[in-house]
């Protein structure tokens, strides 16, 4: 790292900080040391100033002492880091002692003739000590962070060993025993990598980690059924192909996780992010707009080359057999317009270079810059419309899953010819989806979304043939229940990826329209004990890999619903309306519960989930109260619609609240309670989604009528000024359940540097 996390280049640690936890740990120290170095050099210092500087210096020294003790304890437990950690701790202690001496009040009060050196007489010494302290502390933190990486690698190695054993088993009994061990190891790996993913600063790495973890999550259930099918039908070639593909994909995903955490460069690194049209457009527009500041920032040849490279990349759209003639012509027309505008820009640019002080030339250049940027923006808009339009059409067309249904039926009948026929149909759909993901990648708008598009493309490319091999196995063994179950699992994975693609499409649209493409986390968790009187003796447990997999589909439905609710509330003109605010809160909490089904987010255990369910039910009841208040201004028929849906919501919220408070014991009962809580939350979000557009429409209608009435009153008799006017919303209360927590857990919690002032 070239500078401190606070951006002050004076503090150069010489180490790159890659995680938010290390960065956040350093910020208070940087703040304290900056206070010491930036003190005003006045000839006379008040006792208050001296005391303040002394307190800061002593706080730094004490905190460093504690920090070093923790660092030394870590070194003693990890022999491979002992020497490096010991040296860093020694340097940190020495720097802390130096700062304590330089800020000693007794020294500062002594006459300068006594030869003592203080912060006031040796500013250079303070800067040197500060740099040494920050450098050594950062090194200790980064070394400690290696332990986290080591834990992930160790966990991965355990998973790989068990994976090898699973691949070689020959009996069901042996498989069940080893898979149970594998499931526990995968849960541990999922939590370690989930925490690491949340802690990474680099958004591209976070997206790659999320993609790899999604593969592992989905493949775990596939591995179970594919292996069981192979054991039941050991001589079946299609079953073996199906199983081998799952094991290969899991190994690739495990390897990708390690590449990310260790920053190893693989031969496929450059394939992760092929240059997209969006990035080419951004680079080209940047070059064009730089001409305003510097006429020599580029050359006409370079700019022309950039444009031609950009136009070449549009061939992915124009050469596609799925692009209509009208769409192709529209793209080609905009490309031609961009070429013409760029030629005019180059002409104005050359004239401006020849007569820099001519006002006319500068104005002509500005007009040319604006026209060129506009034509490039039009090109981006046209490409976006084509890619998103095609993706939307495909999702609608594939929503009924006709080829999958036909494959299941043909396989169950043992009809190999029909399986071959419908496999061809599925292959064609797969090719369409793969190409559409490639086009979405071009217009995604951010690098993390590009990575998600690539992940979606690879997933469709892999799962399509796996479904076909599973269907072939079932057709060869139509009476096999396990072969039927195996095909069902792969079809669900396909369905799950279609749901993910729908969400990806929304996020790409959000970015294009200037809204944030990422989901904001809900950062309020219930207070421990406040909402859980009946759960004090309940054991906090985590879902294992198989349970997470079985919850995946339900979780995805919850994710889509929360996304749809967010979209609906964005349509409201009154963003501070109680209905809007409470619906947003419900959507955020529902999204948190979806993350729980993936082993991610702030909800780590089932107890956390049940607490969240209680808070969600309370917020839902608050929304019901707001809806009842809102309904008082409606006429009979409109009021009846809102009240009917509100009553449904009340029943569901009470059901969720009672379920969350009901104590259970045993793994099976706990899982059933989790399933029930998430299903009820899904039903709540479905009702909220139906209420929002109705309420918005009625709110606009009555707001318009109130405005019209107010306008008429201006012409008629005004009300008496002394008449009290009831303020709208004055009686509404804001419910604040829970307390704010940091979105990222400090995995270095024992290395606190400073006490709060």
């Amino acid at each position: 790292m070239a500078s401190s996390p606070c951006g002050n280049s004076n503090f150069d640690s010489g180490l790159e900080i890659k995680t938010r936890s290390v960065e956040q740990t350093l910020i208070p120290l940087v703040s304290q040391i900056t206070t010491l170095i930036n003190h005003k050099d006045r000839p006379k210092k008040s006792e208050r100033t001296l005391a303040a500087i002394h307190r800061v210096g002593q706080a730094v020294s004490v905190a460093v002492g504690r920090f070093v003790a923790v660092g030394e304890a870590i070194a003693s437990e990890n022999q491979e880091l002992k020497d490096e950690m010991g040296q860093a701790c020694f340097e940190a202690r020495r720097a802390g002692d130096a700062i304590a001496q330089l800020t000693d009040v007794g020294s500062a009060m002594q006459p300068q003739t006594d030869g003592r050196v203080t912060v006031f007489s040796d500013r250079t010494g303070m800067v040197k000590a500060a740099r040494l302290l920050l450098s050594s502390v950062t090194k200790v933190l980064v070394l400690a962070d290696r332990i986290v990486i080591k834990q992930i690698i160790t966990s991965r190695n355990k998973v790989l060993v068990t994976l090898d054993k699973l691949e070689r088993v020959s009996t069901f009994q042996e498989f069940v025993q080893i898979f149970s061990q594998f499931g526990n190891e995968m849960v541990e790996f999922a939590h370690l990598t989930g925490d690491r993913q949340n802690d990474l600063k680099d958004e591209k790495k976070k997206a790659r980690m999320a993609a790899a973890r999604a593969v592992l999550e989905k493949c775990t259930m596939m591995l179970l059924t594919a292996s069981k099918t192979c054991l039941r039908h050991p001589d079946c070639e299609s079953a073996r192909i199906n199983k081998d593909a799952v094991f290969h994909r899991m190994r690739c995903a495990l390897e990708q996780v390690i590449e990310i955490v260790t920053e190893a460069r693989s031969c496929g690194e450059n394939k992760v992010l092929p240059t997209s049209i969006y990035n080419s457009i951004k680079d080209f527009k940047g070059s064009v707009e730089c001409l305003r500041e510097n006429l020599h920032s580029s050359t006409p040849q370079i700019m022309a080359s950039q444009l031609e490279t950009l136009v070449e990349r549009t061939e992915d759209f124009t050469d596609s057999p799925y692009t209509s003639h009208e769409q192709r012509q529209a793209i080609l027309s905009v490309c031609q317009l961009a070429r013409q505008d760029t030629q005019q820009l180059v002409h104005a640019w050359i004239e401006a270079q020849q007569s820099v002080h001519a006002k006319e030339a500068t104005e002509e250049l500005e007009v040319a810059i604006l026209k060129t940027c506009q034509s490039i923006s039009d090109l981006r808009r046209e490409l976006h419309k084509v890619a998103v339009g095609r993706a939307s059409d495909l999702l609608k067309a594939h929503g009924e899953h006709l080829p999958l249904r036909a494959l299941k039926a043909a396989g169950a009948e043992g009809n190999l010819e029909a399986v071959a026929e419908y496999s061809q149909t599925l292959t064609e759909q797969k090719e369409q989806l793969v190409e559409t993901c490639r086009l979405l990648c071009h217009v995604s708008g951010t690098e993390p979304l590009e990575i998600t598009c690539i992940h979606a493309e690879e997933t469709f490319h892999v799962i399509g043939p796996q479904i076909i091999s599973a269907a072939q196995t079932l057709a060869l063994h139509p009476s096999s229940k396990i072969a039927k179950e195996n095909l069902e699992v792969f079809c669900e994975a396909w369905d799950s990826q279609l749901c993910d693609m729908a969400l990806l499409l929304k996020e790409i649209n959000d970015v294009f329209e200037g809204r944030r493409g990422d989901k904001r986390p809900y950062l309020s968790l219930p207070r421990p004990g406040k909402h859980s009187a009946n759960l004090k003796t309940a054991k906090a447990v985590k879902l294992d890999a198989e349970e997470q997999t079985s919850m995946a589909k339900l979780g995805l439905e919850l994710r889509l619903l929360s996304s749809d609710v967010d979209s609906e509330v964005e349509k409201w003109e009154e963003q501070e309306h109680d209905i809007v605010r409470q619906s947003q809160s419900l959507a955020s909490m529902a999204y948190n519960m979806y993350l729980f089904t993936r082993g991610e987010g702030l909800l780590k255990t089932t107890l956390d989930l049940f607490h969240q369910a209680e808070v969600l039910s309370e917020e839902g009841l608050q929304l019901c109260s707001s809806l009842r208040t809102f309904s008082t201004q409606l006429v009979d028929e409109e009021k009846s619609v809102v009240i009917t849906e509100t009553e449904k919501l009340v029943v569901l919220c009470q059901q969720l609240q009672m379920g969350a408070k009901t104590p259970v014991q045993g793994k099976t009962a706990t899982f059933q309670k989790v399933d029930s809580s998430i299903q009820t939350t899904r039903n709540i979000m479905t009702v909220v989604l139906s209420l929002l557009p109705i309420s918005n429409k009625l709110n606009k209608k009555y707001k318009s009528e109130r405005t019209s009435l107010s306008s008429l009153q201006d012409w008629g008799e005004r009300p008496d000024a002394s008449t009290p006017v009831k303020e709208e919303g004055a009686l509404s209360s804001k419910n604040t359940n829970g307390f704010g927590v940091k979105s990222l857990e400090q995995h270095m919690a024992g290395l606190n540097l400073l006490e709060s002032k």
Side-chain angles (χ1 to χ4, degrees):
M1 184 179 95
S3 61
S4 77
C6 293
N8 190 335
S9 60
N10 289 333
F11 301 133
D12 185 357
S13 69
L15 294 167
E16 183 183 1
I17 295 175
K18 303 179 182 69
T19 58
R20 298 182 190 278
S21 54
V22 172
E23 182 179 72
Q24 292 300 315
T25 307
L26 283 173
I27 286 175
L29 180 61
V30 174
S31 176
Q32 296 278 28
I33 292 178
T34 302
T35 300
L36 291 176
I37 291 179
N38 292 343
H39 77 277
K40 296 178 180 178
D41 293 320
R42 295 175 180 173
K44 293 183 178 180
K45 303 291 188 300
S46 67
E47 289 186 8
R48 184 176 179 182
T49 300
L50 291 171
I53 292 174
H54 175 71
R55 283 198 304 273
V56 172
Q58 292 303 308
V60 169
S61 179
V62 170
V64 168
R66 293 175 179 172
F67 172 81
V68 166
V70 175
E72 289 171 343
I74 291 174
S76 65
E77 295 171 2
N78 297 270
Q79 292 299 314
E80 69 275 16
L81 298 178
K82 187 172 183 179
D83 293 340
E84 284 185 273
M85 184 75 86
Q87 181 63 28
C89 288
F90 172 77
E91 291 175 355
R93 193 186 296 277
R94 186 177 65 176
D97 292 343
I99 289 173
Q101 181 181 350
L102 289 168
T103 56
D104 184 66
V105 174
S107 299
M109 298 285 285
Q110 296 293 328
Q112 293 185 1
T113 55
D114 68 354
R116 289 179 180 266
V117 179
T118 70
V119 67
F120 309 108
S121 61
D122 189 10
R123 185 184 181 87
T124 303
M126 173 56 76
V127 171
K128 184 178 179 181
R131 291 172 70 90
L132 176 62
L133 179 60
L134 281 172
S135 176
S136 55
V137 165
T138 302
K139 188 169 184 179
V140 170
L141 286 169
V142 172
L143 288 171
D145 191 58
R146 285 190 201 169
I147 297 169
V148 178
I149 296 172
K150 179 184 173 184
Q151 288 175 338
I152 294 174
I153 294 172
T154 302
S155 179
R156 188 283 306 258
N157 291 341
K158 287 197 298 184
V159 169
L160 274 179
V161 169
T162 311
L163 198 63
D164 290 340
K165 292 179 182 177
L166 274 176
E167 197 169 20
R168 295 194 301 268
V169 296
S170 56
T171 66
F172 270 103
Q173 184 177 3
E174 185 184 8
F175 175 80
V176 169
Q177 291 175 347
I178 297 175
F179 189 83
S180 176
Q181 177 188 345
F182 175 76
N184 292 330
E185 290 170 354
M186 281 298 294
V187 168
E188 178 193 1
F189 187 72
H191 284 294
L192 286 172
T193 53
D195 291 342
R196 189 66 178 182
Q197 177 185 321
N198 288 335
D199 202 18
L200 287 170
K201 290 171 61 181
D202 189 310
E203 293 300 323
K204 287 197 298 181
K205 290 178 182 175
K206 288 180 77 167
R208 289 185 65 212
M209 179 76 88
R213 295 179 72 246
V215 170
L216 293 171
E217 174 192 333
K218 292 176 182 178
C219 280
T220 301
M221 191 62 182
M222 297 178 193
L223 183 143
L224 173 63
T225 56
S227 297
K228 286 165 65 178
T229 304
C230 236
L231 286 170
R232 182 62 56 86
H233 310 289
D235 299 326
C236 182
E237 180 67 12
S238 57
R240 185 192 59 77
I241 291 172
N242 185 261
K243 171 190 163 184
D244 289 348
V246 177
F247 275 88
H248 175 72
R249 197 161 185 235
M250 287 202 78
R251 288 192 175 96
C252 289
L254 288 166
E255 190 60 34
Q256 182 173 326
V257 169
I258 299 306
E259 286 174 11
I260 295 165
V261 298
T262 61
E263 298 196 317
R265 299 286 176 181
S266 70
C267 58
E269 179 75 13
N270 294 329
K271 296 180 183 178
V272 174
L273 278 184
T275 305
S276 66
I277 293 176
Y278 169 78
N279 284 327
S280 298
I281 287 175
K282 186 169 64 173
D283 292 342
F284 181 76
K285 286 183 73 172
S287 297
V288 170
E289 291 173 341
C290 274
L291 295 178
R292 291 191 177 105
E293 305 296 330
N294 182 4
L295 292 175
H296 302 282
S297 60
S298 184
T299 66
Q301 293 79 12
I302 292 175
M303 193 167 290
S305 175
Q306 282 182 309
L307 179 62
E308 287 310 310
T309 301
L310 169 58
V311 171
E312 282 178 16
R313 293 200 173 101
T314 64
E315 292 175 0
D316 281 352
F317 289 78
T318 56
D319 291 352
S320 170
Y322 308 112
T323 302
S324 69
H325 176 71
E326 292 77 12
Q327 290 172 333
R328 186 176 292 108
Q329 287 302 116
I331 293 170
L332 292 173
S333 297
V334 179
C335 287
Q336 185 58 32
L337 180 61
R339 283 194 179 103
Q340 293 172 1
D341 288 340
T342 303
Q343 288 173 358
Q344 292 176 5
L345 170 66
V346 169
H347 178 73
W349 181 10
I350 293 172
E351 286 191 353
Q353 286 179 324
Q354 293 172 350
S355 55
V356 177
H357 300 293
K359 185 178 180 182
E360 293 77 15
T362 304
E363 289 178 354
E364 183 183 352
L365 178 61
E366 178 61 27
V367 170
I369 289 172
L370 291 173
K371 285 182 67 178
T372 303
C373 289
Q374 183 59 48
S375 60
I376 290 298
S377 295
D378 290 344
L379 175 59
R380 182 194 172 199
R381 187 175 296 106
E382 191 64 38
L383 296 174
H384 177 87
K385 184 170 70 174
V386 172
V388 169
R390 183 187 299 176
S392 300
D393 291 343
L394 279 177
L395 288 171
K396 289 177 185 175
H398 297 172
E400 296 181 2
H401 311 295
L402 295 179
L404 298 184
R405 292 180 184 177
L407 274 172
K408 291 177 190 177
E413 294 169 0
N415 190 338
L416 281 169
E417 290 183 4
V419 166
E421 178 185 345
Y422 293 122
S423 293
Q424 183 60 36
T425 305
L426 182 66
T427 300
E428 290 171 4
Q429 284 194 357
K430 178 207 73 176
E431 293 301 329
Q432 289 181 355
L433 287 165
V434 164
E435 182 164 323
T436 302
C437 289
R438 198 173 296 136
L439 299 189
L440 286 174
C441 182
H442 276 304
V443 301
S444 56
T446 69
E447 288 184 326
L449 286 179
E450 284 181 39
I451 292 169
T452 307
C453 289
I454 293 168
H455 166 67
E457 177 187 340
E458 292 173 347
T459 301
F460 284 123
H461 186 74
V462 171
I463 292 183
Q466 288 180 313
I467 291 174
I468 292 170
S469 62
Q472 290 170 344
T473 303
L474 179 58
L476 291 169
H477 307 279
S479 61
S480 173
K481 291 183 180 180
I482 183 58
K484 184 178 180 181
E485 180 190 359
N486 187 46
L487 176 57
E488 189 68 41
V489 165
F490 281 95
C491 290
E492 286 178 0
W494 179 275
D495 183 33
S496 170
Q497 190 56 50
L498 286 174
C499 291
D500 284 351
M501 187 174 176
L503 257 164
L504 173 62
L505 198 59
K506 180 187 181 302
E507 291 173 346
I508 289 172
N509 269 323
D510 285 346
V511 171
F512 183 79
E513 294 170 10
R515 300 192 299 267
R516 291 184 62 186
D518 55 333
K519 180 83 176 182
R520 63 185 180 278
Y522 181 74
L523 298 181
S524 291
L525 292 176
R527 292 183 180 89
K530 180 178 179 182
H531 303 287
S532 55
N534 296 327
L535 296 174
K536 288 181 180 177
T537 59
K539 183 181 179 182
V541 297
K542 299 177 181 179
L543 297 185
D544 61 28
E546 188 172 351
E547 289 169 339
Q548 284 182 13
T549 304
S550 65
M551 296 296 298
K553 186 175 181 181
L554 189 59
L556 282 168
E557 291 177 19
L558 202 56
R559 180 184 179 188
L560 286 170
L561 282 167
S562 65
S563 181
D564 290 341
V565 167
D566 274 342
S567 297
E568 283 298 329
V569 298
E570 285 172 1
K571 298 175 184 177
W572 282 62
E573 294 174 358
E574 299 177 49
Q575 285 295 304
E576 294 304 314
H577 198 290
D578 282 349
I579 293 175
V580 170
R581 179 177 53 78
Q582 289 156 352
S583 297
Q584 285 176 326
S585 180
L586 288 173
S588 295
M589 285 188 273
Y591 185 79
N592 237 17
M593 294 172 78
Y594 151 72
L595 289 177
F596 173 82
T597 66
R598 294 175 60 95
E600 300 174 4
L602 297 170
L603 309 178
K604 300 297 183 184
T605 67
T606 52
L607 208 53
D608 293 337
L609 179 77
F610 301 147
H611 289 162
Q612 185 75 98
E614 283 191 59
V615 178
L616 189 145
S617 65
E618 291 178 7
E619 189 73 9
L621 291 171
Q622 288 289 328
L623 175 59
C624 294
S625 177
S626 299
L627 287 165
R628 286 196 184 100
T629 303
F630 172 72
S631 68
T632 57
Q633 61 185 315
L634 306 179
V635 296
D636 293 342
E637 186 177 345
E638 295 167 342
K639 184 175 183 178
S640 175
V641 172
V642 174
I643 288 295
T644 300
E645 291 300 304
T646 301
E647 290 305 319
K648 291 181 187 176
L649 190 58
V650 169
V651 172
L652 288 168
C653 289
Q654 290 174 343
Q655 180 183 335
L656 179 63
Q657 194 172 54
M658 290 299 295
K661 289 181 177 179
T662 303
V664 293
Q665 291 184 348
K667 184 176 180 180
T668 302
T670 301
F671 177 71
Q672 288 173 348
K673 182 176 175 180
V674 169
D675 184 66
S676 174
S677 297
I678 295 178
Q679 284 198 43
T680 308
T681 301
R682 177 195 61 186
N683 296 338
I684 288 172
M685 298 307 294
T686 302
V687 175
V688 171
L689 185 60
S690 69
L691 275 165
L692 280 170
I694 300 170
S695 303
N696 188 21
K697 180 181 177 182
L698 295 174
N699 187 51
K700 285 180 180 177
K701 174 184 174 183
Y702 282 91
K703 184 180 178 182
S704 175
E705 289 177 0
R706 286 196 300 270
T707 303
S708 301
L709 182 61
S710 176
S711 299
L712 289 171
Q713 277 190 337
D714 287 341
W715 293 96
E717 185 178 1
R718 295 184 180 274
D720 182 53
S722 62
T723 304
V725 179
K726 181 180 178 181
E727 292 186 14
E728 185 180 354
L731 299 179
S732 66
S733 61
K734 292 188 177 182
N735 180 38
T736 54
N737 290 310
F739 62 102
V741 296
K742 293 183 180 179
S743 61
L744 299 175
E745 294 182 351
Q746 295 285 349
H747 69 266
M748 297 297 295
L751 299 182
N752 292 327
L753 288 174
L754 297 170
E755 297 175 326
S756 58
K757 290 184 181 179

